Amino acid sequence: RSPQVACKAASAVLVKTLRFVQNVPCFQELPLEEQLLLVRSCWAPLLLLGLAQDRVHLETVESAEPSMLQRILTARQHGERAPAPAPGRPHHGPHLPSAGEIQAIKGFLAKCWSLDISTKEYAYLKGTVLFNPDLPGLQCTQYIEGLQREAQQALNEHVRLIHRGDEARFAKLNVVLSLLRSINANVVAELFFRPIIGAVNMDDMLLEMLCAKL
């Protein structure tokens, strides 16, 4: 509904998220190449956790703009030539998020809010997402695997201490992580950054932000 508002909020959350990452001491100890590999792979799930934590609402509205197919069919009915893509633009154009992909993001946010996740729980979830030992190209795999395990153990202990009556809470929080895995990073980039930055290369942007002292 308001791309500028949503994009501005997402940009602020991305800065805050990378600041959080940079302030994790064990992350700082990793070589820069490893840091960048981890951040490139998980910036989108970390951003979505940040949006949920900051309660950024994503209001969407059905677009009335006709699709390329509709325009071609309409042109044919009137005996006109089908509209050609603009010069220099690929025929398929940018990958515009589908209603289903947007719904998956909204569903994820709603799930987080229904669980009323605390600041500490968000921090441990982010740690679990950040320290992914399964990425190809990592050198410090065992160290990173240990950090992920520590984040999960800390989350489990915190839940047992604070939510004693809710034995299923730890499992529910892990469902949140599985929902995150089904959301495509390209969809997040298209939705939150293309409207204000254009055809953004997230890798370049993340490298710049990671090397800058946020």
Side-chain angles (χ1 to χ4, degrees):
R1 190 182 289 276
S2 318
Q4 297 293 333
V5 175
C7 295
K8 198 174 174 184
S11 299
V13 170
L14 185 62
V15 170
K16 201 187 290 186
T17 299
L18 289 179
R19 196 178 287 147
F20 164 83
V21 166
Q22 287 179 324
N23 287 331
V24 175
C26 40
F27 180 80
Q28 290 277 17
E29 288 167 17
L30 289 165
L32 183 62
E33 297 79 24
E34 303 275 287
Q35 291 182 24
L36 192 57
L37 260 175
L38 291 173
V39 169
R40 273 179 176 159
S41 81
C42 72
W43 71 267
L46 286 180
L47 176 72
L48 290 172
L49 282 167
L51 291 172
Q53 187 173 4
D54 285 9
R55 294 196 169 257
V56 175
H57 286 265
L58 180 61
E59 285 189 56
T60 52
V61 63
E62 287 296 324
S63 173
E65 192 177 319
S67 68
M68 180 61 84
L69 179 64
Q70 283 173 307
R71 286 188 353 233
I72 290 167
L73 292 174
T74 310
R76 279 196 188 144
Q77 280 169 4
H78 293 96
E80 300 163 12
R81 290 184 63 186
R89 281 192 59 187
H91 283 252
H92 52 78
H95 170 76
L96 296 173
S98 69
E101 287 167 334
I102 292 171
Q103 206 46 54
I105 292 174
K106 291 175 81 170
F108 164 78
L109 295 173
K111 179 73 176 170
C112 290
W113 297 332
S114 73
L115 288 170
D116 200 16
I117 300 172
S118 70
T119 305
K120 273 198 169 179
E121 286 169 336
Y122 273 119
Y124 298 138
L125 287 171
K126 287 174 190 173
T128 304
V129 169
L130 175 64
F131 296 115
N132 177 8
D134 302 323
L135 286 180
L138 285 176
Q139 303 298 314
C140 312
T141 314
Q142 283 184 306
Y143 178 64
I144 290 165
E145 192 174 355
L147 294 173
Q148 189 182 60
R149 196 164 46 243
E150 279 176 33
Q152 278 279 286
Q153 284 169 350
L155 177 62
N156 197 2
E157 283 166 23
H158 173 79
V159 166
R160 276 170 44 203
L161 190 69
I162 305 296
H163 299 272
R164 287 180 182 169
D166 189 354
E167 290 179 13
R169 185 168 180 84
F170 182 66
K172 287 175 191 168
L173 290 171
N174 276 299
V175 166
V176 163
L177 292 178
S178 66
L179 286 175
L180 269 180
R181 289 185 200 106
S182 68
I183 297 170
N184 187 319
N186 291 333
V187 171
V188 179
E190 284 291 341
L191 198 57
F192 292 108
F193 298 106
R194 182 179 282 275
I196 50 169
I197 305 173
V200 60
N201 183 326
M202 290 306 295
D203 280 2
D204 292 348
M205 195 163 100
L206 290 166
L207 176 62
E208 210 171 296
M209 292 173 81
L210 198 62
C211 293
K213 291 296 167 198
L214 295 169

